[in-house]
Amino acid sequence: QVKNALAVTITDAAGGLAAAGFENGDLVIGADGTQFDGPGALFTWFGAPTQSHRLIVRRGGARREIVVPPGMLSDAEAWGGQLTPTMR
């Protein structure tokens, strides 16, 4: 089985993940129009911290996009949660 998603866990309601619109249990399944196909793709969008990213999120049975502002993901301490590699 392939880890092809990031599970969101919110630990601080005032942190960056919650402020961006993420909720506990969200699965990030892609970024910038492309779905993740394996573990190597999960964090490739971190390589451009100076631009915003459109993350594809599965919440319950619905899909949505959450726009992450430039630089937000480069400071893991400010996230107020975790993004954990997992399977869809």
Side-chain angles (χ1 to χ4, degrees):
Q1 295 179 331
V2 177
K3 292 188 177 180
N4 58 2
L6 295 168
V8 176
T9 303
I10 303 293
T11 57
D12 179 357
L17 291 173
F22 290 99
E23 295 180 4
N24 272 321
D26 282 353
L27 285 179
V28 181
I29 61 172
D32 301 322
T34 303
Q35 289 197 31
F36 301 139
D37 58 3
L42 293 177
F43 292 99
T44 56
W45 44 277
F46 275 91
T50 59
Q51 68 183 48
S52 63
H53 295 282
R54 299 181 79 77
L55 302 186
I56 305 166
V57 176
R58 190 170 73 197
R59 181 179 296 159
R63 285 176 53 156
R64 64 185 64 227
E65 284 191 354
I66 294 178
V67 177
V68 177
M72 188 206 112
L73 294 174
S74 63
D75 184 5
E77 291 184 16
W79 291 358
Q82 299 178 58
L83 298 174
T84 307
T86 190
M87 294 170 286
R88 280 185 231 173

